[in-house]
Amino acid sequence: MSLAINHAQRINKKEAMNFLKKHNSFLLVGHIRPDGDDVGSMCALHNVLKSMGKDADMLLGDPVPEVFLCIETAKLIKNEIPKNKKYDAMVFTDLANLKRAGDFDFPDVPSLCIDHHKTNEGYTDYLYLEPDYAAAAQLLAEMFFDENIKMDKDTCNALYMALCTDSGFFKFSCTSAHTLLMASKLVEMGAEPAYISRHLDSKSKEYMQCYTLVANSIRTLCGGKLVTAKMDKNAMELDGENSDRYVDIPRCLKGTEIAILLKYQDENTTRISLRSVQYADVSEIAAKFGGGGHARASGCTISKSMNEAEKEIIKIAEKYL
């Protein structure tokens, strides 16, 4: 089976579960610069497949950020496809864009994507997509509960962490009654909110130094509705692996509708994180630069210096206010 854009057949929750039941050896794939939803979803799926008597390896194009290693299973994630290993299926989690899977030579086997991004490119054979869900973990939790699958503490913690990070600890507009129900059921089964919060809230000295650099770079436009901030080369060297944390600095400024965090990659490449507070659809802004995501949280990469990228993204973002 091939991986190609607009190739996927949309399937429902039951059909996605049947795909998992049908196959025995899985390669689970997440996205580069992994976030809590990606790490948590992949780890939970890995553990459930193992409990079903299946074999599974987890693969990421970048190392797992230290903050997410509170999930024990995350320590098993690989950054290379194991040699001489045969798989009969692949599952991509929380991955809307195949390019963000990383530079791997994937096996030619049946593939499924479990995702919640409305901009998903449909690159797998099968796609289970719920764009109104706060996290990919929400799809998985619902699927596992419907199947009456018993999950151990680490699996419940993985899903709970994933829900927390993508919903802003249940503060973002993507949080629904169903999101809270899944979190409640996970806690009932063994997830530990205090443990997850303690690890996610813990800040390093490097974080504090980086926070100061980003906060000092804030720029307000359009009467304060548009706010930009920058992670320059120094900031990225301090805490680049956790760069998505810092978009909350411009987002939380009073009066902000669109927050833009520009992140240095090299002299001619700038990564962008976009957030909106109430009405602006930042996924449309990201899409104009080949990116995507959600209405309130998206990202893209611009092949220009940070100053030039800032001019380009501001020019587009102003039209959404």
Side-chain angles (χ1 to χ4, degrees):
M1 298 292 184
S2 60
L3 298 171
I5 295 175
N6 297 324
H7 164 71
Q9 174 185 334
R10 288 285 293 271
I11 61 175
N12 59 32
K13 174 177 52 181
K14 187 67 176 178
E15 291 168 322
M17 192 68 212
N18 286 340
F19 181 94
L20 300 180
K21 291 178 178 178
K22 178 180 178 181
H23 300 285
N24 294 303
S25 181
F26 293 85
L27 180 62
L28 310 181
V29 185
H31 56 73
I32 57 174
R33 298 184 288 276
D35 58 12
D37 186 23
D38 195 29
V39 173
S41 294
M42 184 185 299
C43 289
L45 180 56
H46 169 275
N47 290 350
V48 166
L49 288 170
K50 289 285 190 177
S51 74
M52 295 166 63
K54 314 286 187 178
D55 183 50
D57 288 322
M58 299 175 287
L59 178 69
L60 285 173
D62 287 320
V64 177
E66 185 178 358
V67 67
F68 303 135
L69 292 176
C70 58
I71 305 303
E72 287 297 319
T73 307
K75 298 170 185 175
L76 303 177
I77 294 175
K78 306 176 189 300
N79 298 124
E80 294 181 355
I81 300 176
K83 295 179 180 179
N84 303 317
K85 187 76 179 283
K86 299 293 184 181
Y87 302 100
D88 59 18
M90 283 192 298
V91 182
F92 296 81
T93 53
D94 192 45
L95 179 56
N97 182 325
L98 182 59
K99 185 177 180 180
R100 296 197 70 220
D103 187 17
F104 296 109
D105 184 14
F106 291 116
D108 187 13
V109 295
S111 57
L112 165 68
C113 180
I114 299 174
D115 192 22
H116 68 126
H117 295 90
K118 72 175 185 177
T119 55
N120 190 287
E121 293 180 339
Y123 55 86
T124 48
D125 296 313
Y126 303 101
L127 172 62
Y128 174 37
L129 178 69
E130 292 288 358
D132 292 331
Y133 282 19
Q138 193 170 331
L139 285 77
L140 290 169
E142 181 182 46
M143 183 190 302
F144 299 155
F145 285 133
D146 284 0
E147 292 288 323
N148 294 312
I149 293 173
K150 299 299 180 185
M151 293 176 277
D152 64 17
K153 183 177 293 186
D154 196 56
T155 305
C156 291
N157 276 337
L159 290 170
Y160 185 85
M161 179 188 76
L163 288 176
C164 285
T165 51
D166 253 29
S167 69
F169 276 86
F170 313 109
K171 294 180 294 188
F172 295 163
S173 61
C174 59
T175 304
S176 66
H178 185 264
T179 311
L180 296 171
L181 176 62
M182 293 298 100
S184 175
K185 294 181 74 170
L186 288 166
V187 172
E188 186 177 29
M189 190 173 280
E192 304 167 294
Y195 172 79
I196 296 301
S197 296
R198 185 167 67 251
H199 281 272
L200 295 184
D201 289 344
S202 178
K203 303 295 189 293
S204 65
K205 179 182 178 181
E206 289 76 17
Y207 172 87
M208 295 302 183
Q209 293 172 331
C210 191
Y211 188 100
T212 300
L213 290 175
V214 176
N216 286 339
S217 75
I218 280 179
R219 178 185 176 195
T220 59
L221 304 99
C222 302
K225 291 183 178 180
L226 178 59
V227 183
T228 69
K230 295 179 180 178
M231 289 187 73
D232 61 14
K233 187 176 182 180
N234 290 335
M236 290 298 288
E237 288 174 351
L238 275 170
D239 199 25
E241 74 169 15
N242 296 306
S243 61
D244 282 346
R245 283 183 170 192
Y246 297 93
V247 72
D248 281 341
I249 297 175
R251 188 189 66 81
C252 71
L253 196 65
K254 187 176 181 180
T256 301
E257 174 53 33
I258 297 177
I260 302 172
L261 178 65
L262 298 105
K263 298 174 283 190
Y264 176 93
Q265 182 164 318
D266 59 46
E267 293 299 325
N268 298 302
T269 311
T270 305
R271 288 163 40 208
I272 309 286
S273 289
L274 295 155
R275 299 290 185 271
S276 65
V277 177
Q278 288 184 295
Y279 59 84
D281 188 342
V282 292
S283 71
E284 294 183 6
I285 300 173
K288 294 183 183 299
F289 298 95
H294 307 288
R296 302 288 170 264
S298 289
C300 59
T301 299
I302 299 178
S303 298
K304 292 189 176 182
S305 69
M306 187 171 287
N307 288 337
E308 288 300 313
E310 184 179 30
K311 293 176 185 177
E312 292 280 338
I313 198 79
I314 286 173
K315 188 189 307 181
I316 299 298
E318 287 176 332
K319 299 176 183 179
Y320 286 79
L321 294 170

